[in-house]
Amino acid sequence: MISTAENQEHKNPAQRGRCTDLCGDPQTWFPMRVTYSRELQVRDELTGLGIEHFLPMKTVLRDEYGSHPRHELVPAVANLIFIRSTRDAITALKHTHAVLEPLRFMIDHTSEDNRIMTVPDRQMENFMRVASVADDRIFYLDEVQWVGKEGRRVRVTGGVFKGTEGVIRRVRRNKCVCVEIAGVVTVAIAFVPGAMLEDIEGR
């Protein structure tokens, strides 16, 4: 499940997103909206500032004027980027760097107090393990509906996706391993051999 950051400014940073009493690290991953499709500009600015971030990318085939098709890397999900920092630091950057002003915190409207969404490190690492791989078997379920109920929870034991944890869903008539950040994004892996899957207990 997604952890959440308190929506009030006066809250202790250690209470935002995840418990930091033991690790001493108040930073956490924030899924953020980027208005006006400025994901690449925001990514480049964050890179220059040395701020940890993740922008899911995918390869598309551009056929310009039907003569010179070429592959191009583009953001996989429109207007979405993940930033690992603190809420206060991100807010300050929005006020001091014009390129970062389009960033918007995502709100968990299912919570009683409309908390800001954050993602635990372990869940984010699992998502990035899939989303960072350039592979034709990967696709994002932004508009695709899966069929039937959620299947068993599994771990991939071999190949480029080794270590990935997800749930089996039937998508486009195929059984896929789906990795979800609830309320934000889901990425699916198609055609994973059954011999490379082991059942794990749900978390």
Side-chain angles (χ1 to χ4, degrees), residues 137 139 141 146-147 149 151-152 154 167-178 188-194 197:
R137 292 172 293 172
F139 56 95
L141 303 185
W146 48 75
V147 179
K149 63 181 182 180
R152 70 188 195 276
V154 297
V167 297
I168 299 294
R169 296 185 186 274
R170 186 173 292 279
V171 184
R172 298 173 180 170
R173 299 183 179 180
N174 297 309
K175 287 185 177 180
C176 303
V177 177
C178 296
I189 315 169
F191 311 115
V192 181
L197 299 176

Side-chain angles (χ1 to χ4, degrees), residues 30-34 79-81 83 90 103-106:
F30 290 88
M32 303 199 71
R33 294 297 183 198
V34 186
N79 304 315
L80 175 68
I81 194 169
I83 301 175
I90 294 172
L103 287 169
R104 300 291 183 269
F105 290 103
M106 295 181 65

Side-chain angles (χ1 to χ4, degrees), residues 63-184:
D63 189 1
E64 297 181 352
Y65 308 108
S67 57
H68 299 289
R70 61 187 176 84
H71 289 90
E72 181 180 343
L73 272 176
V74 300
V77 182
N79 304 315
L80 175 68
I81 194 169
F82 296 87
I83 301 175
R84 189 173 189 275
S85 186
T86 66
R87 180 184 176 183
D88 291 343
I90 294 172
T91 299
L93 288 170
K94 282 166 49 65
H95 291 156
T96 56
H97 294 74
V99 176
L100 302 182
E101 194 281 330
L103 287 169
R104 300 291 183 269
F105 290 103
M106 295 181 65
I107 304 299
D108 180 8
H109 294 291
T110 65
S111 64
E112 293 183 358
D113 52 357
N114 289 329
R115 298 180 180 183
I116 289 176
M117 288 183 173
T118 66
V119 185
D121 285 350
R122 187 176 183 278
Q123 186 180 12
M124 193 66 199
E125 289 164 3
N126 188 55
F127 173 76
M128 291 190 294
R129 187 178 289 116
V130 178
S132 298
V133 177
D135 195 296
D136 292 339
R137 292 172 293 172
I138 293 176
F139 56 95
Y140 290 81
L141 303 185
D142 51 348
E143 298 179 355
V144 179
Q145 297 294 320
W146 48 75
V147 179
K149 63 181 182 180
E150 178 180 309
R152 70 188 195 276
R153 187 164 183 81
V154 297
R155 179 184 296 112
V156 182
T157 60
V160 294
F161 302 109
K162 183 178 180 180
T164 299
E165 297 180 3
V167 297
I168 299 294
R169 296 185 186 274
R170 186 173 292 279
V171 184
R172 298 173 180 170
R173 299 183 179 180
N174 297 309
K175 287 185 177 180
C176 303
V177 177
C178 296
V179 178
E180 178 184 17
I181 296 180
V184 181

Side-chain angles (χ1 to χ4, degrees), residues 18-26:
R18 61 189 179 92
C19 178
T20 58
D21 293 342
L22 297 179
C23 64
D25 181 3

Side-chain angles (χ1 to χ4, degrees), residues 3 39 159 197:
S3 62
E39 303 96 331
L197 299 176

Side-chain angles (χ1 to χ4, degrees), residues 8-75:
Q8 293 84 4
E9 291 291 347
H10 64 275
K11 291 292 184 180
N12 188 309
Q15 296 175 326
R16 299 180 190 147
R18 61 189 179 92
C19 178
T20 58
D21 293 342
L22 297 179
C23 64
D25 181 3
Q27 296 189 88
T28 190
W29 283 100
F30 290 88
M32 303 199 71
R33 294 297 183 198
V34 186
T35 59
Y36 309 115
S37 300
R38 297 176 182 174
E39 303 96 331
L40 297 179
Q41 296 97 314
V42 168
R43 177 201 63 183
D44 293 344
E45 186 78 1
L46 293 171
T47 298
L49 293 170
I51 298 172
E52 189 175 2
H53 61 280
F54 180 69
L55 177 62
M57 303 288 286
K58 66 180 179 181
T59 301
V60 298
L61 185 63
R62 300 291 194 194
D63 189 1
E64 297 181 352
Y65 308 108
S67 57
H68 299 289
R70 61 187 176 84
H71 289 90
E72 181 180 343
L73 272 176
V74 300

